[in-house]
Amino acid sequence: MDEKKPLTVSLSQEELFVILRYLEVPYLMGLNNAVWQGIEEDVAGLILSVAERALIARNFLVMNTVQKRFELVPPILALVGACAKPDYSLIMTLNRPRKPSEGLFFHLAGQIVVSHTIPITGIHQFIALPDKKAVARAVLSNFSLGTETVPEGKMSRITQALLVQARDAAVAGGVAGALAILAQVDLDPETRQALAITLATVKVNATLAYMDHQNDGEPAADGFTILEGENGFWRLKLVEGSSAEEELVSLQPLPGDELPGTIESLINRS
């Protein structure tokens, strides 16, 4: 193996289900267990048996001659194991106009950092990354950096429901459509205009959630959304303490040169 190239493994979803059985883990982020709905048990068993033989043929499962059983080889155990039992995770949900939504998963377990993506339906790719800085670079590669302007607005607040309405109105009616909705909220004119332009010219809508799995019960999480339009970036974040009936979102115009630091501060929480 070329040591300069990162360890990369692609697995079918069926192979991945088999690996999870060997890891004794029932769930992996990004893997849809619903694919088994409606499939007879004997058919599912046959599918997994074929996938297991494929893993053996690929030398991802090897026989332990002492214990007389198959085991995962160390690279697979490390890559998929880090994603199945992480200490921390960064989940990026990426939306672009006229493209399907993408999920990008980055997991940290001890000193291991792994990227998990789904480049093709039913295929999962795992890449060993050298460190957290590589995670930041992978996230930032999805934005347009270096030529952006800054939205001419002020830090403000808006309800989540009204923001969604303004987004939908921008899709249907452009800037004018968004402005018609945003007129219902107390924003200064520059902020209202800048936000309407962004909503009408969205390039990337990316939600990032950083999760700490090292506690009992549900993992602790923090995160925000980065909205990129033709006039620059906004950082959107739910306001803590706002009621479920009227969730508030903070809107912060974000200079492009501050985006790397904003992403890195989230990743470096641990």
Side-chain angles (χ1 to χ4, degrees):
M1 180 184 298
D2 185 346
E3 295 184 357
K4 294 182 179 179
K5 293 183 178 180
L7 176 61
T8 302
V9 172
S10 293
L11 299 163
S12 70
Q13 64 181 6
E14 294 79 14
E15 290 174 324
L16 197 47
F17 278 116
V18 172
I19 290 171
L20 291 183
R21 287 190 172 188
Y22 277 87
L23 291 172
E24 298 182 349
V25 175
Y27 173 75
L28 181 75
M29 291 184 189
L31 183 61
N32 182 13
N33 287 0
V35 297
W36 299 110
Q37 292 180 0
I39 297 180
E40 298 293 335
E41 186 175 344
D42 57 341
V43 175
L46 177 60
I47 292 172
L48 292 175
S49 177
V50 171
E52 184 174 38
R53 289 198 294 272
L55 290 169
I56 294 170
R58 299 177 70 184
N59 289 321
F60 291 168
L61 277 174
V62 296
M63 176 62 70
N64 182 319
T65 55
V66 175
Q67 299 185 359
K68 303 299 183 183
R69 67 182 184 185
F70 282 104
E71 294 180 345
L72 295 167
V73 296
I76 299 299
L77 187 61
L79 283 177
V80 182
C83 299
K85 301 177 181 179
D87 296 328
Y88 305 95
S89 300
L90 178 69
I91 313 304
M92 182 177 189
T93 304
L94 189 62
N95 292 285
R96 296 186 178 97
R98 296 174 295 280
K99 291 186 178 181
S101 179
E102 296 179 57
L104 291 77
F105 308 88
F106 303 92
H107 301 286
L108 296 82
Q111 299 300 311
I112 300 174
V113 184
V114 180
S115 163
H116 170 204
T117 58
I118 310 169
I120 305 172
T121 301
I123 300 297
H124 296 254
Q125 186 174 68
F126 300 86
I127 303 175
L129 302 178
D131 50 34
K132 289 183 179 181
K133 291 182 179 179
V135 174
R137 289 194 296 271
V139 170
L140 289 167
S141 69
N142 296 284
F143 300 99
S144 304
L145 298 176
T147 60
E148 65 284 318
T149 58
V150 183
E152 295 180 358
K154 299 177 181 178
M155 189 166 182
S156 309
R157 290 184 175 186
I158 187 174
T159 65
Q160 173 80 353
L162 200 62
L163 182 60
V164 171
Q165 291 179 38
R167 179 202 64 192
D168 294 343
V171 172
V175 174
L179 284 172
I181 300 298
L182 295 175
Q184 302 174 37
V185 66
D186 184 22
L187 297 173
D188 71 272
E190 284 188 349
T191 301
R192 185 181 295 117
Q193 180 71 21
L195 181 58
I197 291 172
T198 302
L199 292 172
T201 62
V202 171
K203 296 179 180 179
V204 179
N205 182 343
T207 298
L208 295 108
Y210 193 77
M211 307 174 71
D212 180 355
H213 302 276
Q214 299 185 107
N215 57 356
D216 296 329
E218 290 296 319
D222 190 18
F224 46 75
T225 294
I226 299 295
L227 193 63
E228 179 186 355
E230 289 184 356
N231 59 339
F233 297 98
W234 296 81
R235 177 180 177 272
L236 282 57
K237 185 175 175 63
L238 287 174
V239 176
E240 292 185 13
S242 58
S243 65
E245 296 78 16
E246 194 176 65
E247 285 187 319
L248 288 174
V249 177
S250 67
L251 309 169
Q252 179 185 358
L254 189 65
D257 59 2
E258 293 184 11
L259 183 57
T262 300
I263 300 299
E264 289 168 6
S265 66
L266 180 63
I267 297 172
N268 291 327
R269 286 177 57 85
S270 57

